[in-house]
């Protein structure tokens, strides 16, 4: 099936919801410190989404997911379920992944935060993952192909001897949370679907310090590294423009330009 191109009206709505998702990650930063539980972070985000942003937290009840955000600590790759029992401590890293629905459209973004003082490995891993996302984004323009994005990410990550999770990928996004196409974080240049202005999708590399293998816990959501080593993730929702890209979930702390 052909990939949906957004109309100018759709794009305005994608911009608006992308902005709300970005603001939510900016909002939560000050609460992320030693002693806070991921359950508390979930409650803060939920209430902010509903009461302040007049939006809907997309994860809540999505295929049965029980909470409003994903909070994935240390060796948790993605889809960590927030819990009052999971208390963040100095030296941890946590990925907070928020997806909002406003006016029928989705905005999806995540960032890995440090709690207190990170280890040297954590700093290297988190910054490699962030840079790999940016390298994938910089490739985006009409005429480029999905394999060009995957290749840009893979080349950078593997050069630094980290590994890429293969089981989960970026995705088309709009009225549907997880739409076509699948955006793989590895691949070969000049392969895959050609990008066209008006496409919107996420790029969300999950990068492991050890081996790439992952395991699903018995809760059927939490994904962990098989070797229990550290893992990081960063995600943006991207629009393909006539000349390149626009990062719909751009934040003030991003070190890449909103448009390119
Ligand atoms: N936000 C995640 C993504 O980037 C998906 C979370 S689905 C949930 O695609 F059900 F776990 F919330
Ligand atoms: Co996503
Ligand atoms: Co997400």
């Amino acid at each position: 099936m052909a990939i949906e191109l957004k109309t100018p009206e759709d794009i305005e709505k994608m911009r608006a919801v992308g902005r709300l998702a970005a603001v939510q990650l900016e909002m939560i930063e000050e609460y992320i410190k030693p002693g806070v539980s991921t359950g508390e972070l979930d409650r803060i985000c939920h209430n902010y989404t509903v009461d302040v942003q007049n939006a809907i937290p997309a994860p809540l009840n999505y295929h049965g997911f029980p909470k409003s955000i994903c909070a994935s600590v240390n060796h948790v790759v993605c889809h960590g379920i927030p819990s009052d029992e999971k208390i963040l401590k100095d030296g941890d890293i946590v990925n907070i992944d928020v997806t909002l629905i406003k006016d029928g459209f989705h905005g999806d973004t995540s960032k890995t935060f440090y709690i207190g003082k990170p280890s040297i490995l954590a700093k290297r891993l988190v910054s490699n993952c962030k840079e790999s996302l940016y390298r994938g984004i910089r490739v985006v323009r009409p005429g480029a192909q999905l394999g060009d994005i995957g290749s840009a990410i893979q080349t950078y990550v593997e050069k630094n001897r980290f590994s890429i999770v293969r089981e989960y990928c970026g995705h088309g996004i709009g009225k549907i949370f997880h739409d076509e196409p699948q955006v793989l974080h590895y691949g070969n240049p000049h392969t895959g679907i050609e990008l066209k202005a008006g496409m919107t999708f996420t790029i969300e590399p999950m990068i492991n310090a050890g081996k790439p293998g992952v395991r699903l816990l018995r809760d059927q959501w939490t994904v962990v590294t098989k070797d229990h080593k550290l893992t990081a993730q960063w995600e943006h929702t991207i629009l393909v423009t006539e000349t390149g890209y626009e990062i719909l979930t751009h934040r003030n702390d991003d070190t890449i330009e909103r448009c390119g």
Side-chain angles (χ1 to χ4, degrees):
M1 214 188 73
I3 290 155
E4 186 195 48
L5 301 181
K6 269 66 180 179
T7 66
E9 294 75 34
D10 295 344
I11 289 170
E12 271 316 309
K13 291 178 184 165
M14 287 296 291
R15 278 200 184 102
V17 71
R19 182 76 204 126
L20 292 179
V23 165
Q24 177 148 153
L25 281 187
E26 290 173 350
M27 178 281 296
I28 200 63
E29 168 134 46
E30 68 173 291
Y31 300 98
I32 301 177
K33 48 180 198 255
V36 75
S37 70
T38 57
E40 179 66 13
L41 297 176
D42 174 71
R43 273 190 295 279
I44 295 166
C45 285
H46 177 94
N47 292 339
Y48 191 79
T49 304
V50 172
D51 300 335
V52 179
Q53 299 187 306
N54 293 313
I56 300 166
L60 187 59
N61 300 322
Y62 180 76
H63 294 285
F65 191 78
K67 297 287 175 176
S68 295
I69 64 170
C70 297
S72 304
V73 182
N74 293 342
H75 69 294
V76 178
V77 174
C78 63
H79 306 164
I81 303 173
S83 145
D84 291 343
E85 276 76 61
K86 185 66 201 171
I87 314 272
L88 299 177
K89 60 180 195 309
D90 187 50
D92 284 345
I93 62 173
V94 62
N95 175 277
I96 302 292
D97 191 338
V98 302
T99 310
L100 272 57
I101 308 171
K102 179 90 171 185
D103 268 349
F105 286 82
H106 291 73
D108 187 6
T109 186
S110 85
K111 164 178 173 177
T112 298
F113 296 86
Y114 303 124
I115 293 89
K117 190 172 151 40
S119 69
I120 290 165
L121 175 65
K123 263 198 197 162
R124 279 187 57 234
L125 178 70
V126 169
S127 86
N128 178 276
C129 183
K130 178 182 177 186
E131 176 62 24
S132 79
L133 168 61
Y134 290 172
R135 290 199 179 210
I137 292 172
R138 285 198 198 98
V139 165
V140 172
R141 60 174 172 78
Q145 291 170 266
L146 281 179
D148 299 335
I149 299 175
S151 168
I153 294 169
Q154 183 175 13
T155 304
Y156 179 71
V157 169
E158 292 181 352
K159 192 178 72 189
N160 290 282
R161 295 177 179 269
F162 292 123
S163 63
I164 299 159
V165 172
R166 299 290 205 271
E167 287 82 351
Y168 301 87
C169 58
H171 48 92
I173 185 168
K175 289 193 188 108
I176 296 172
F177 190 168
H178 293 108
D179 205 350
E180 293 175 61
Q182 294 194 30
V183 180
L184 303 184
H185 304 117
Y186 58 92
N188 295 313
H190 314 300
T191 64
I193 285 165
E194 186 180 314
L195 306 184
K196 294 194 171 65
M199 287 181 181
T200 51
F201 52 81
T202 72
I203 307 177
E204 48 182 298
M206 284 142 274
I207 304 301
N208 294 352
K211 296 208 173 74
V214 301
R215 195 164 66 81
L216 185 64
L217 297 190
R218 288 174 70 174
D219 63 21
Q220 297 301 314
W221 281 107
T222 312
V223 179
V224 299
T225 54
K226 254 190 195 147
D227 60 14
H228 275 222
K229 294 199 174 155
L230 217 53
T231 179
Q233 182 177 27
W234 293 74
E235 173 176 27
H236 271 311
T237 298
I238 308 296
L239 165 70
V240 185
T241 64
E242 296 294 336
T243 53
Y245 63 81
E246 183 175 325
I247 304 175
L248 299 173
T249 46
H250 193 273
R251 293 181 310 278
N252 288 331
D253 63 271
D254 265 307
T255 46
I256 182 175
E257 315 70 40
R258 180 185 304 274
C259 302

